[in-house]
Amino acid sequence: MKLYCLSGHPTLPCNILKFKSTTLMLDCGLDMTSVLSFLPLPLVHSTRLSKLPGWVLKDGNTQFEKELKECSGRVFVDSVPEFCLPETQLIDLSTVDVILISNYHCMMALPYITEHTGFTGTVYATEPTVQIGRLLMEELVNFIERVPKAQSATMWKHKEVQRQLPAPLKDAIEVYTWRKCYTMQEVNAALSKIQLVGYSQKIELFGAVQVTPLSSGYALGSSNWIIQSHYEKVSYVSGSSLLTTHPQPMDQTALKNSDVLILTGLTQIPTANPDGMVGEFCSNLAMTIRNGGNVLVPCYPSGVIYDLLECLYQYIDSAGLSNVPFYFISPVANSSLEFSQIFAEWLCHNKQTKVYLPEPPFPHAELIQTNKLKHYPSIHGDFSNDFKQPCVVFTGHPTLRFGDVVHFMELWGKSSLNTIIFTEPDFSYLDALAPYQPLAMKCVYCPIDTRLNFIQVTKLLKEVQPLHVVCPEQYTQPPASQAHRSDLMIDCQPPPMSYRRAEVLTLPFKRRYEKIEIMPEPPPKIAPPQTSKKRKRAAEGSPETQPFKPLLSGSIPMDQFVQALEKHGFSDLKIEDTAKGHIVHLQEADTLIQFEEDSTHIICEHDERLRVRLRDMVLKFLQKF
């Protein structure tokens, strides 16, 4: 059993598991941190960005001035943003049989894999994962395509050039494999390969392996996966949560008795308490509004935003914010708000019961009805007519490199009354803000990550007791910024096996038993020849009339075989030894018999009778099953 690591980002995993002659890809996350190296894409012309000076080498060389721009001591690529794909050279991806998706954040690289590698298999995911994943991809494509950029920078990617660049560009990994965003056509083609599954549904793969999704408690439809054969069991735990938020709770019992547990997607901010962060979010928001400023929340169109709106719903009146407009701007805002209300079976119990009252499970339905929350596809059109300040705007993208958020950064960045609150933990907020410096608006970092922390993981591993744990290298040592915190790493016995990008692990897995099936029925008789040609052809293809081919076993002793040939009148023989076996040349008959360890070939042109005669002589030396 082998594990190939194709992504070095522990919360955006992409691994391949080879198990029982089946090749399974576990998630295909897209590392978007690469876009932080690029300049933002403004929705309207930005004089500030267009006047940024080109970057010049220390020796005065100006050849990169067009590709690289400098802003407050940082260098950015002035080009279409590009993404860091999972590793494609480590293994032939056309050999992948199935892709198992854990949650909608871990499927963003799917179109690159299914449309450009020769992949012909099936993708398995739950319905909310597919539908919300589609929204995230649609939003991403829309953000990038609606601001076309003429220039594509490539010179800076040359190794000898990259070495001379300042950090972080100098340290960016495998920049030559970075790719532009896919198209909506590729998204639709990729999603058409997905087969929908439900929790605890058992899916048979080629009769060798069975896979089952379990609720992971992290997002709508998010799953952990059990991969098992008759005698072995592998658990894949990715993006799980034990907190009581809107999804169904995590199913832990089915993870017990695993031979191997592959663990990824833990919280990215192990020292922050999500409840505390939500409280801080609300109080900072209220303080800014009271002082007459606006609040900008860069976010994804699904997930944490539902929880934030729910907390604000409970907080608005007590904080005196009932007259403040909340705007949610995204090309998929409407679909996202509606989807969250219709996936009742995937919600936690108390939200499910509301559906049967009938009452919408999420309170944002009431916020929309009372006009406190308004949603728009973009800043153009209706939004510009309705826009009132002070207000709160939820919009994308959390990288601040594309989407409507770029417009609000340019609009509100110069005033210290305004505040930007970062809630998504996927990106460094300092890197996100870098191309907007100098910035007067206040910045608040309230990262909300409900995924498992190290205390919860240690407890979980003690309860489910896998024989071996496999995890990303980052989880086997404390974070660099808190090197003394030995509690911020995985603690289990035996110690976990770790992997990093482009590494192959052989998993400690001794197969002791194998299940085989022997058919008791004798082989069916060959059907009598039919007169009609048409019928005969149909009969040949039908499985009922096909005789079982016997299995052959044994090796052919060359001396005895040559004697048998001479007995049958073949005298002009020449025998040649090869690396894999022997070749017998019947010179007079111009025929070759090639013997190898596991096969025999008779090469005999235009004389079928002779070939059959020689075949029968070979078969006499072998046993038939």
Side-chain angles (χ1 to χ4, degrees):
M1 182 190 281
K2 284 202 165 135
L3 187 75
Y4 299 73
C5 175
L6 309 188
S7 161
H9 197 305
T11 38
L12 297 168
C14 183
N15 296 312
I16 283 183
L17 181 70
K18 284 205 161 191
F19 178 39
K20 293 282 297 224
S21 57
T22 310
T23 305
L24 306 104
M25 179 178 279
L26 310 174
D27 284 328
C28 44
L30 182 62
D31 188 349
M32 293 197 197
T33 49
S34 57
V35 304
L36 296 171
S37 302
F38 293 79
L39 279 182
L41 299 179
L43 286 174
V44 290
H45 177 74
S46 164
T47 315
R48 183 187 72 82
L49 287 172
S50 61
K51 285 185 176 169
L52 288 177
W55 184 72
V56 180
L57 277 162
K58 281 178 185 158
D59 60 6
N61 188 332
T62 59
Q63 62 173 325
F64 303 113
E65 269 190 318
K66 280 196 172 144
E67 288 196 357
L68 302 171
K69 303 288 179 189
E70 199 167 338
C71 174
S72 296
R74 284 281 284 265
V75 177
F76 297 93
V77 183
D78 185 12
S79 170
V80 183
E82 295 180 339
F83 302 99
C84 180
L85 271 56
E87 188 71 47
T88 54
Q89 302 302 312
L90 194 62
I91 185 171
D92 178 1
L93 296 181
S94 67
T95 63
V96 173
D97 298 308
V98 295
I99 302 177
L100 306 179
I101 304 291
S102 301
N103 60 68
Y104 44 77
H105 286 299
C106 292
M107 64 185 281
M108 297 297 282
L110 196 63
Y112 295 115
I113 307 282
T114 62
E115 304 314 298
H116 299 284
T117 64
F119 172 80
T120 55
T122 309
V123 186
Y124 290 100
T126 63
E127 189 180 2
T129 296
V130 175
Q131 298 299 358
I132 298 171
R134 179 193 294 277
L135 296 184
L136 292 180
M137 290 179 188
E138 199 178 310
E139 185 189 67
L140 187 64
V141 171
N142 188 302
F143 281 163
I144 287 174
E145 286 185 354
R146 74 182 182 191
V147 190
K149 207 168 172 77
Q151 184 177 327
S152 260
T154 53
M155 277 164 57
W156 74 276
K157 291 182 172 187
H158 291 288
K159 271 188 183 152
E160 59 280 5
V161 175
Q162 198 192 346
R163 276 193 211 108
Q164 302 174 60
L165 301 180
L169 282 179
K170 180 174 67 176
D171 309 315
I173 59 158
E174 297 181 22
V175 290
Y176 244 92
T177 65
W178 290 9
R179 290 286 171 267
K180 292 183 190 129
C181 189
Y182 33 69
T183 63
M184 210 52 221
Q185 195 178 350
E186 289 169 321
V187 169
N188 291 328
L191 296 176
S192 71
K193 296 175 174 69
I194 298 183
Q195 197 164 313
L196 299 182
V197 292
Y199 289 151
S200 302
Q201 181 182 337
K202 292 178 168 34
I203 303 129
E204 286 287 342
L205 305 180
F206 322 113
V209 174
Q210 192 183 69
V211 295
T212 309
L214 310 169
S215 173
S216 77
Y218 165 58
L220 277 178
S222 66
S223 313
N224 290 324
W225 289 86
I226 300 290
I227 304 153
Q228 58 189 356
S229 63
H230 294 293
Y231 295 103
E232 299 95 17
K233 177 175 174 180
V234 177
S235 295
Y236 176 56
V237 176
S238 166
S240 303
S241 177
L242 293 169
L243 298 182
T244 311
T245 55
H246 58 271
Q248 258 191 50
M250 181 182 177
D251 180 349
Q252 296 176 61
T253 47
L255 301 172
K256 287 182 177 172
N257 306 319
S258 301
D259 295 280
V260 173
L261 188 142
I262 302 166
L263 180 64
T264 181
L266 302 183
T267 178
Q268 299 180 77
I269 33 159
T271 54
N273 173 340
D275 288 339
M277 288 293 138
V278 170
E280 226 171 283
F281 169 82
C282 290
S283 58
N284 276 289
L285 182 143
M287 195 165 32
T288 301
I289 299 288
R290 284 193 200 109
N291 294 335
N294 302 292
V295 176
L296 179 61
V297 185
C299 63
Y300 295 114
S302 181
V304 169
I305 186 170
Y306 303 149
D307 300 313
L308 291 177
L309 290 172
E310 186 155 351
C311 293
L312 286 170
Y313 171 78
Q314 293 157 2
Y315 183 78
I316 285 171
D317 295 331
S318 63
L321 301 174
S322 37
N323 298 324
V324 178
F326 290 78
Y327 300 119
F328 175 23
I329 305 169
S330 163
V332 297
N334 186 40
S335 308
S336 171
L337 292 169
E338 285 179 352
F339 273 145
S340 65
Q341 304 287 16
I342 60 170
F343 286 133
E345 68 199 271
W346 307 91
L347 295 170
C348 61
H349 180 68
N350 67 352
K351 286 211 175 334
Q352 275 188 22
T353 51
K354 287 185 177 181
V355 176
Y356 305 109
L357 286 177
E359 189 184 305
F362 285 93
H364 55 240
E366 196 180 317
L367 289 173
I368 293 167
Q369 281 162 9
T370 55
N371 252 355
K372 286 175 182 168
L373 173 65
K374 295 183 176 183
H375 53 87
Y376 304 89
S378 76
I379 56 168
H380 305 299
D382 291 345
F383 173 73
S384 46
N385 301 329
D386 300 349
F387 182 46
K388 289 186 182 66
Q389 302 187 77
C391 63
V392 179
V393 171
F394 293 89
T395 190
H397 186 266
T399 55
L400 310 191
R401 292 302 179 269
F402 34 76
D404 302 271
V405 74
V406 176
H407 181 72
F408 288 101
M409 287 301 295
E410 297 285 341
L411 186 70
W412 290 344
K414 296 176 190 70
S415 167
S416 59
L417 288 175
N418 302 322
T419 303
I420 177 168
I421 307 181
F422 290 92
T423 58
E424 296 293 348
D426 293 351
F427 307 96
S428 152
Y429 74 100
L430 294 172
D431 289 346
L433 292 167
Y436 298 96
Q437 300 297 352
L439 199 67
M441 81 191 297
K442 286 196 279 295
C443 303
V444 177
Y445 186 49
C446 295
I448 298 165
D449 195 337
T450 58
R451 287 174 277 212
L452 296 172
N453 61 34
F454 290 100
I455 296 168
Q456 292 167 329
V457 163
T458 303
K459 189 167 174 254
L460 175 75
L461 293 177
K462 275 184 183 151
E463 282 171 16
V464 301
Q465 292 190 319
L467 290 180
H468 300 280
V469 174
V470 182
C471 66
E473 187 179 52
Q474 292 94 322
Y475 298 160
T476 59
Q477 56 212 29
S481 57
Q482 294 168 300
H484 62 289
R485 293 285 301 268
S486 58
D487 56 326
L488 299 182
M489 54 190 276
I490 287 177
D491 176 23
C492 64
Q493 286 303 324
M497 291 178 71
S498 67
Y499 58 77
R500 62 169 84 172
R501 187 184 171 104
E503 200 165 72
V504 182
L505 286 189
T506 302
L507 301 184
F509 211 74
K510 297 276 186 289
R511 209 177 274 153
R512 288 166 302 198
Y513 300 103
E514 195 60 84
K515 188 171 181 178
I516 63 167
E517 286 183 23
I518 299 172
M519 299 176 78
E521 301 87 17
K525 287 178 182 163
I526 300 167
Q530 307 225 356
T531 48
S532 153
K533 275 187 186 174
K534 214 172 195 179
R535 283 195 173 182
K536 187 178 177 191
R537 194 167 294 149
E540 277 172 5
S542 78
E544 289 82 9
T545 60
Q546 289 282 7
F548 280 116
K549 276 193 175 175
L551 297 172
L552 303 171
S553 163
S555 58
I556 294 161
M558 287 313 298
D559 298 345
Q560 291 176 35
F561 182 69
V562 168
Q563 284 171 15
L565 284 172
E566 286 169 343
K567 250 187 217 172
H568 282 78
F570 297 103
S571 53
D572 199 0
L573 303 175
K574 190 177 171 192
I575 299 163
E576 190 183 319
D577 291 339
T578 65
K580 291 183 178 177
H582 308 278
I583 293 176
V584 178
H585 188 185
L586 313 183
Q587 288 168 298
E588 210 173 294
D590 195 16
T591 295
L592 290 177
I593 307 172
Q594 191 176 341
F595 293 101
E596 290 179 2
E597 196 178 329
D598 53 2
S599 62
T600 302
H601 304 282
I602 299 169
I603 302 149
C604 166
E605 300 229 355
H606 316 304
D607 192 343
E608 182 61 12
R609 285 176 67 184
L610 173 61
R611 190 192 69 76
V612 171
R613 203 172 137 207
L614 291 170
R615 182 200 66 189
D616 292 343
M617 289 174 70
V618 170
L619 290 177
K620 278 182 183 161
F621 288 93
L622 296 172
Q623 286 177 284
K624 292 180 189 177
F625 288 105

